[in-house]
Amino acid sequence: MTGGHDVALDLDDIQSGALHERPSPYVGQYVLLRIDDRAAGRELVRRLLSVVDHGRPSSEPRHGAWVTVAFTYQGLKALGVPNDSLDSFAPEFQQGMAARAVELGDVGESSPARWEKPLGSPEVHVALAALSPDAARLQAAVEKMRRAHQELSGVDVIWAQDCYQLPTGRTSFGFKDGIGQPTVEGSGMPPSNPKEKPIKAGEIILGYPDETGELPPMPSPDVLGRNGTYIVFRKLHTKVAAYRQYLRAKAANREEEALLGAKMVGRWQSGAPLVLAPERDDPKLGADRRRHNDFLYADDLRGLKCPAGAHARRANPRDALDAEGSVNVRLHRMIRRGTSYGPALPEGVLEDDGAERGIIFVFAGAHLKRQFEFVKTQWLNDGIFIGAPTEKDPLVGPRDGAGSFTIPTQPIRRRLQQMPPFVVTRGGEYCFAPGLRAMRWLAELQT
Ligand code: HEM
């Protein structure tokens, strides 16, 4: 519990996956399980109670590894959660991610028919994640997870994915990631942007008032919903060679390549934001946790430093939409806990080596629809809100090869054309990470 004017968050009951900052460097593993036997599923949940991490968030490496568990709608069903309770979850969660594909832009190469099996299928019931600062402690955490499900007939591992921070500390496109995060009131997380008030706990954790002053819609019974959070995970393959080739083709030289790349993201590869470093990368700023998120967009409404269409600015326009007054950006924030998978494409290589690489995108929040889905559909997949209806997010926007991206410059703006897709969805799911009391309730179900 925290004191002062903060809302007291019941941190001992909340799984810490969402509120913990990921260690850097990190290694991790995701495991998906299927429950064929209800009693075995409940035994799994009972065992996991002593495996999952909870308590005050800490990014201290000595804290060790973090284990988080989340359930899909099908998983809750397999555990025998009563129908009236199942019906009380967010409709998008009940449908599952694959059913939302058209809405989310997961079409063509990204469509569920082409997803990696068993992602997006009704077989995915339980998602486990272990993250650790080093391989030794990861091994111990993975071992604990294994003990929770091994020799339980009726519970099977159906998918596993390793992840790790690339030696560069960056993601596959070459950029530092995970910087722009909201600070959650009462969480004990260090403030990320001194120019913004922390967001209300109910934006991320169920059972607390959110930015509207209300409690977020919460599944019933109360014990099941309280202190839980919705989790989205998406395996996103990145076409790094295509991305590099495109920049090479559009830029006059290496310096301009770096600039165009930064304009597409809103930050330089080091993480330095364009608003604070408009001309060239500033690695010191990129690495400075006190400064690298300390900015707003009000002084750059025309986007001369950071284009309105840049990925990070689309995903969190901060105060840039305040003038319109119609959108409250604070209702569309999210915690991201994404990780990298696959080998880096060595620097300078422009040919595709056929390797699978990219990001396991992970969202945590109280509102699937107005946070994850809103940002994905309205801000990343559509450009109406920035007056460029035909433009999609330059990094992650779904497109057929004819995408464009406008970079405002003086005296005339520059428009990049014929932009191919750089990211392909390999699959994903909507999950619910319950609090510890809720897990006990699930383990003790009598249905
Ligand atoms: C392969 C896919 C993706 C890549 C490579 C990627 C990369 C990045 C990078 C490099 C940044 C800037 C650094 C930072 O602030 O952390 C960023 C920021 C961000 N991205 Fe993504 N991203 C991807 C997908 C997504 C998706 C699908 C969403 C949401 C639906 C999203 C939401 C955000 C948000 C909210 C921010 C922070 C903006 C801020 O607070 O300034 N990203 N991303």
Side-chain angles (χ1 to χ4, degrees):
M1 298 278 190
T2 52
H5 55 275
D6 278 355
V7 169
L9 267 177
D10 191 357
L11 293 172
D12 282 336
D13 195 52
I14 299 170
Q15 291 195 63
S16 11
L19 299 176
H20 266 308
E21 204 172 322
R22 184 183 68 196
S24 175
Y26 63 84
V27 280
Q29 191 179 66
Y30 303 95
V31 176
L32 297 179
L33 306 168
R34 187 188 62 227
I35 299 171
D36 292 321
D37 178 84
R38 195 177 271 196
R42 291 171 186 173
E43 174 61 14
L44 167 75
V45 180
R46 196 189 61 75
R47 293 183 187 177
L48 284 172
L49 265 164
S50 57
V51 174
V52 298
D53 206 70
H54 59 111
R56 176 163 283 279
S58 158
S59 52
E60 292 278 307
R62 69 182 150 77
H63 185 95
W66 289 260
V67 173
T68 308
V69 62
F71 301 87
T72 64
Y73 175 75
Q74 296 297 337
L76 296 178
K77 231 172 158 174
L79 286 170
V81 171
N83 282 333
D84 53 342
S85 174
L86 289 170
D87 292 347
S88 65
F89 280 84
E92 301 75 30
F93 171 77
Q94 295 184 39
Q95 290 170 37
M97 186 184 285
R100 307 289 298 159
V102 172
E103 188 82 14
L104 293 172
D106 287 332
V107 295
E109 223 184 331
S110 292
S111 64
R114 301 174 71 172
W115 283 3
E116 191 176 310
K117 302 272 173 295
L119 301 178
S121 81
E123 292 196 17
V124 178
H125 293 167
V126 184
L128 289 171
L131 272 184
S132 160
D134 54 52
R137 280 179 282 184
L138 176 65
Q139 209 37 55
V142 166
E143 193 46 46
K144 277 199 289 179
M145 298 199 306
R146 193 170 17 242
R147 276 201 299 272
H149 61 73
Q150 75 184 3
E151 289 162 27
L152 270 184
S153 70
V155 174
D156 286 301
V157 174
I158 54 170
W159 187 80
Q161 173 73 56
D162 291 327
C163 67
Y164 64 102
Q165 189 173 67
L166 297 175
T168 52
R170 316 268 170 92
T171 52
S172 54
F173 287 132
F175 290 82
K176 189 165 168 178
D177 195 2
I179 305 171
Q181 304 276 17
T183 311
V184 181
E185 199 177 277
S187 70
M189 290 163 83
S192 141
N193 183 352
K195 295 192 166 53
E196 283 177 346
K197 273 196 315 192
I199 58 167
K200 296 290 176 200
E203 289 297 315
I204 306 298
I205 309 289
L206 301 184
Y208 303 86
D210 66 19
E211 287 285 324
T212 68
E214 308 284 325
L215 292 176
M218 195 163 83
S220 60
D222 193 86
V223 61
L224 176 59
R226 185 170 295 279
N227 292 325
T229 186
Y230 287 105
I231 304 281
V232 175
F233 79 87
R234 280 163 80 71
K235 182 173 180 180
L236 301 173
H237 171 64
T238 49
K239 298 186 167 191
V240 179
Y243 166 82
R244 288 183 188 168
Q245 285 165 20
Y246 185 78
L247 289 181
R248 183 66 46 96
K250 297 294 170 186
N253 51 45
R254 296 298 164 84
E255 247 167 67
E256 206 192 8
E257 262 177 50
L259 177 67
L260 294 183
K263 292 281 187 185
M264 284 160 64
V265 170
R267 291 181 183 269
W268 297 90
Q269 290 200 348
S270 74
L274 278 174
V275 163
L276 300 181
E279 307 280 337
R280 61 192 61 82
D281 199 354
D282 179 350
K284 264 206 183 115
L285 171 61
D288 188 339
R289 300 170 50 90
R290 279 170 305 125
R291 292 193 296 141
H292 65 188
N293 202 37
D294 185 359
F295 69 94
L296 296 172
Y297 291 114
D299 294 338
D300 185 35
L301 287 182
R302 293 181 56 200
L304 292 171
K305 293 177 189 162
C306 177
H311 171 68
R313 183 162 171 171
R314 282 173 174 264
N316 176 17
R318 303 186 184 214
D319 59 342
L321 304 182
D322 283 358
E324 279 103 274
S326 53
V327 184
N328 180 356
V329 171
R330 296 170 66 82
L331 299 181
H332 310 292
R333 302 298 307 277
M334 64 183 76
I335 297 269
R336 289 173 303 135
R337 288 285 175 251
T339 57
S340 281
Y341 72 91
L345 186 64
E347 211 174 313
V349 174
L350 271 77
E351 293 312 310
D352 186 16
D353 61 358
E356 283 292 313
R357 59 171 60 86
I359 282 181
I360 306 293
F361 171 88
V362 177
F363 153 103
H367 301 271
L368 282 177
K369 191 166 180 73
R370 80 154 151 83
Q371 294 172 327
F372 171 72
E373 289 201 346
F374 181 93
V375 170
K376 179 76 174 104
T377 61
Q378 307 298 301
W379 288 351
L380 301 182
N381 294 357
D382 203 312
I384 293 175
F385 81 113
I386 49 168
T390 59
E391 293 193 6
K392 299 179 179 11
D393 185 276
L395 268 196
V396 310
R399 56 182 161 252
D400 53 14
S404 61
F405 173 59
T406 303
I407 304 174
T409 47
Q410 276 167 335
I412 46 159
R413 68 180 176 205
R414 171 148 190 210
R415 182 166 283 149
L416 299 184
Q417 309 272 21
Q418 302 296 317
M419 191 180 268
F422 298 130
V423 172
V424 182
T425 308
R426 293 285 191 237
E429 199 43 274
Y430 288 162
C431 304
F432 179 71
L436 271 78
R437 274 193 295 273
M439 284 177 66
R440 209 161 290 128
W441 182 86
L442 287 168
E444 287 166 7
L445 277 169
Q446 298 295 330
T447 53

